[in-house]
Amino acid sequence: MSQTAVCPIPDDRDDRKSAAIARANAHAEPGARVVSRFSFARDVLRAPQMRQAGAGAEHVKLDNPEHVSVFFLDGELHKKRRGQLARYFTPKAIKDRHHVVMRRTTEELIAELRRSGRAQLDLMTMRLACDVAAEIVGLTASDPRAMSERLRKTFTSIGTSKGSWLQPLRAAMRTLTFMALDVMPAVRARRKAPKDDVISYCVAEGFSKKAILIECMTYATAGMLTTREFIVMVAWHLFERDDLRALYLAGDEGTQLAIIEEILRLEPVAAFVHRKAAEPMTGSNGEVVQPGELYGMDIRAANTDEAITGPCPFAIDPYRAERQRMTTSWMSFSDGAHRCPGAQVALHETRIFLDALLRVPGIRMANPPRLDWCAPIQGYEVHGAFVECDRV
C-alpha cells in the first residue's frame, strides 16, 4: 500500500469501540506511575533493569523457577526459557506448521456455518484459537471441541468480576477438570511419543505436573482467550465498514496484516502492563527511574500518542504504519523481552479466518457483540456476536 503523508481522515473521528468500557474499568496497579507516552513506555519495557510486575507477579515465588510461568521470569532465566520455546513461533513454523491447523479449522468452521446459516462468532473464534494454541502446546490428546468449551468456561470463571463466593471454587474445579481431561492425556501421550511442542519439551526437562499445568494455562490464556477477543473485534470493524472490508478482501497478505494491526492499535485487548525497577535507568527523554518504582504502561494511550501515530490517532487508517514507518504492532503485544511470543501466530490466524469468513456468500453480522470486562487481564471481552449467511 502507499498513501500520501497527510492523513485524509477528520481529526475528530473516533473509531474505537472499546474506549468507553476501558475508560470505566481499566486502571494501573496501586502506586504505579502511569506511562502514556509511547517512547517512554518502550524505554521501560525494553530496559534490562526492569522486572515483570502486576498480574499477581508480586505473589510469585521464584525459589523454584520450574514452577513459575515464563511470563513471570526475568533476566537469564527468562531468556533461557524463551530461547528454548522460540522455535514454536518462528516465521517458518507459522508457515509450515501452524497455517495447516489454521486453514483446516477455518474450513471446518465455515462449512458448519454454511450448513446452518448462522453461528456465534466468539464461539467460532474460540475454537480456532484453541486448535492453533493446542497444536503449539501439545494439547492434542483430547477432543478439541470439548476442550474448547471447557477452557471457555474456565476463563469465564476466572474472568468474572462479579459473582458469589463460589466463583473461585468453580474456577479451581474447572482448572482441575482441564488438567485431568486435557493436560494429563497429552502428557501421557508425549511420554510415549514425543513431538515438537511445549508439553514434549516440559516432559523431556522433567517438569512436574503442576509446572506443566502452569505452562498450559499460560499459553491457553495468551493464545486462546486474548486472540479470540481481537479476532471478533477486527471482524466487527470490517463488517461495519464497507470500504475497509473491500480493501481487506482485495489486498495481499501485507495489506491485510496492516489493517488488522491498525485495528489492534486502537483496540488492544489488554489495557495495562506493569514493570518494577530493580536498578536505576534513564529513559531516552532523560527521565530517571529509581529502584523500586512501579510503572504502569497505558497501552491504549501509548498507541494513540500522536507523537508516534501522526494525525487522527483515534481513527482507523490502514496506511498509518507505512506512513509512520512503524514495523511492529505498536504496543498491543507489549514490547521488550516480554513481548508476546505468539504475536505473529495470532495475527496470521486472524488474517486467514477473516479472509475466509468475509468471502462466504451472503455473510453479514446479524447481532453485534456486547463488551464485558475481564479484570484479571485488564482487558475487554466480546460475547454474543452472531453472523448469518446463505445456506447451502
Side-chain angles (χ1 to χ4, degrees):
M1 296 189 297
S2 63
Q3 184 74 334
T4 62
V6 179
C7 179
I9 301 168
D11 285 344
D12 60 349
R13 201 175 91 188
D14 191 339
D15 292 329
R16 296 173 297 174
K17 297 182 181 299
S18 58
I21 194 168
R23 192 179 303 115
N25 294 279
H27 58 82
E29 294 282 327
R33 295 179 61 180
V34 175
V35 179
S36 301
R37 290 164 293 157
F38 185 94
S39 59
F40 187 61
R42 183 168 54 189
D43 290 343
V44 171
L45 291 171
R46 292 183 177 182
Q49 300 94 329
M50 306 303 288
R51 298 291 180 267
Q52 186 73 292
E58 66 276 12
H59 302 302
V60 175
K61 295 181 180 180
L62 299 176
D63 53 338
N64 187 354
E66 177 191 307
H67 285 175
V68 179
S69 166
V70 66
F71 178 84
F72 293 110
L73 295 176
D74 281 299
E76 287 303 315
L77 285 173
H78 177 262
K79 184 178 179 180
K80 178 183 177 182
R81 184 83 66 84
R82 279 283 292 250
Q84 291 166 328
L85 300 174
R87 66 180 184 271
Y88 307 123
F89 304 102
T90 63
K92 180 175 174 56
I94 293 171
K95 294 285 187 181
D96 294 350
R97 294 181 53 191
H98 308 328
H99 271 199
V100 175
V101 182
M102 295 172 193
R103 296 188 188 281
R104 182 183 65 222
T105 300
T106 293
E107 290 172 2
E108 292 175 2
L109 292 168
I110 296 299
E112 293 171 5
L113 167 64
R114 297 203 65 189
R115 284 193 296 270
S116 65
R118 181 178 172 88
Q120 188 168 339
L121 187 56
D122 45 298
L123 296 186
M124 294 175 73
T125 55
M126 181 66 178
R127 166 76 191 285
L128 173 65
C130 278
D131 281 8
V132 174
E135 182 69 23
I136 295 170
V137 177
L139 291 166
T140 57
S142 54
D143 179 64
R145 292 175 183 272
M147 182 178 69
S148 174
E149 182 63 13
R150 279 192 288 274
L151 282 169
R152 185 182 68 81
K153 290 180 178 178
T154 300
F155 293 144
T156 300
S157 297
I158 294 173
T160 301
S161 56
K162 297 178 181 179
S164 71
W165 59 271
L166 289 173
Q167 202 65 36
L169 180 60
R170 292 193 186 100
M173 291 301 296
R174 285 169 175 163
T175 301
L176 291 174
T177 300
F178 170 61
M179 176 70 167
L181 299 182
D182 301 300
V183 177
M184 288 314 300
V187 170
R188 290 191 290 269
R190 294 304 182 267
R191 283 176 177 156
K192 293 180 180 178
K195 293 187 177 182
D196 190 20
D197 54 40
V198 175
I199 289 179
S200 294
Y201 162 78
C202 292
V203 169
E205 291 292 312
F207 279 32
S208 67
K209 294 177 182 178
K210 177 182 177 181
I212 294 175
L213 174 62
I214 290 171
E215 287 299 310
C216 289
M217 288 300 295
T218 298
Y219 283 95
T221 302
M224 300 178 191
L225 182 62
T226 55
T227 302
R228 176 195 70 176
E229 310 309 339
F230 85 71
I231 295 177
V232 178
M233 180 61 78
V234 173
W236 192 3
H237 279 279
L238 293 178
F239 273 116
E240 289 193 349
R241 287 274 303 275
D242 292 342
D243 59 332
L244 203 58
R245 185 170 67 253
L247 181 62
Y248 185 88
L249 291 175
D252 58 12
E253 180 178 294
T255 297
Q256 292 184 336
L257 288 173
I259 292 171
I260 292 168
E261 291 187 274
E262 172 67 357
I263 294 173
L264 188 57
R265 177 188 69 83
L266 273 190
E267 314 277 17
V269 178
F272 278 91
V273 293
H274 292 81
R275 297 291 184 271
K276 178 175 280 191
E279 303 172 30
M281 68 153 281
T282 303
S284 57
N285 62 351
E287 185 169 342
V288 177
V289 176
Q290 299 296 339
E293 288 186 329
L294 177 65
Y295 284 80
M297 269 52 66
D298 185 337
I299 301 302
R300 303 180 71 89
N303 276 359
T304 52
D305 179 357
E306 201 164 343
I308 191 74
T309 67
C312 54
F314 299 116
I316 295 172
D317 175 7
Y319 304 100
R320 186 185 305 277
E322 181 184 19
R323 187 177 63 248
Q324 298 299 118
R325 298 181 181 179
M326 191 70 177
T327 58
T328 68
S329 301
W330 307 91
M331 203 66 72
S332 299
F333 291 106
S334 190
D335 206 328
H338 280 278
R339 187 177 188 274
C340 175
Q344 288 299 314
V345 174
L347 291 170
H348 279 267
E349 66 184 280
T350 301
R351 186 194 71 78
I352 287 171
F353 175 77
L354 292 180
D355 183 78
L357 179 69
L358 295 172
R359 295 183 193 278
V360 172
I363 193 67
R364 57 197 175 274
M365 182 170 278
N367 294 97
R370 75 174 187 276
L371 290 173
D372 295 320
W373 191 255
C374 181
I377 67 167
Q378 277 286 293
Y380 63 79
E381 293 181 321
V382 285
H383 300 289
F386 280 86
V387 292
E388 294 179 345
C389 69
D390 299 341
R391 295 180 63 179
V392 295

